[in-house]
Amino acid sequence: MTSVVHAAAPFVYLAAHRDASYVDSLVLALQDVAQLPPPVGLGARLALSAAPEIELLARLVYYYSVLCLGHRTIGQEYCGTIPVHVDRSGQPQLLAHRPRLTLVAAHALAPYVIGRLQRANFLATA
């Protein structure tokens, strides 16, 4: 029987920090492209107003490209962690496709929706 050792909190934090730095660099690259003049990009004004959507796109591209293709994120590789679940028999199993899609939604869509709700609440109270 194979036992599962849970990742220590510092490793989880370090993996998340490493992933966030790669997402941030992808956001900056997408913003640079979006700020190009309109035949290629959106232009500076539209790119600035579309900043939350550009961040969402960067998160979706990063997490979908690694998690849904069956790989670990760069942060998980750096820390040597593997996302698994324990089945009913107690054996660790790699995540199937549907839980990986849930992880993508949690990493990409949840921050976008929360940010939109916070901005809408701020504008409603201002």
Side-chain angles (χ1 to χ4, degrees):
M1 181 169 169
T2 306
S3 65
V4 177
V5 178
H6 296 282
F11 290 113
V12 174
Y13 174 78
L14 186 60
H17 184 68
R18 176 66 59 113
D19 289 333
S21 68
Y22 278 95
V23 168
D24 288 343
S25 65
L26 187 56
V27 167
L28 291 174
L30 287 175
Q31 285 176 341
D32 286 345
V33 171
Q35 289 178 1
L36 292 174
V40 177
L42 300 172
R45 181 176 294 166
L46 282 176
L48 183 61
S49 66
E53 287 77 17
I54 291 172
E55 184 177 348
L56 171 66
L57 178 64
R59 287 176 175 275
L60 284 173
V61 165
Y62 178 75
Y63 287 110
Y64 185 83
S65 66
V66 292
L67 291 176
C68 288
L69 296 178
H71 303 291
R72 296 184 291 170
T73 65
I74 296 171
Q76 290 169 344
E77 288 180 0
Y78 180 72
C79 293
T81 59
I82 302 172
V84 297
H85 74 92
V86 179
D87 63 6
R88 293 181 183 173
S89 66
Q91 294 295 320
Q93 302 290 327
L94 292 176
L95 293 179
H97 189 70
R98 185 171 290 157
R100 288 178 181 270
L101 282 174
T102 305
L103 280 176
V104 170
H107 284 296
L109 294 176
Y112 175 75
V113 170
I114 290 170
R116 278 295 182 191
L117 290 174
Q118 287 175 339
R119 281 189 292 280
N121 188 22
F122 175 74
L123 293 176
T125 59

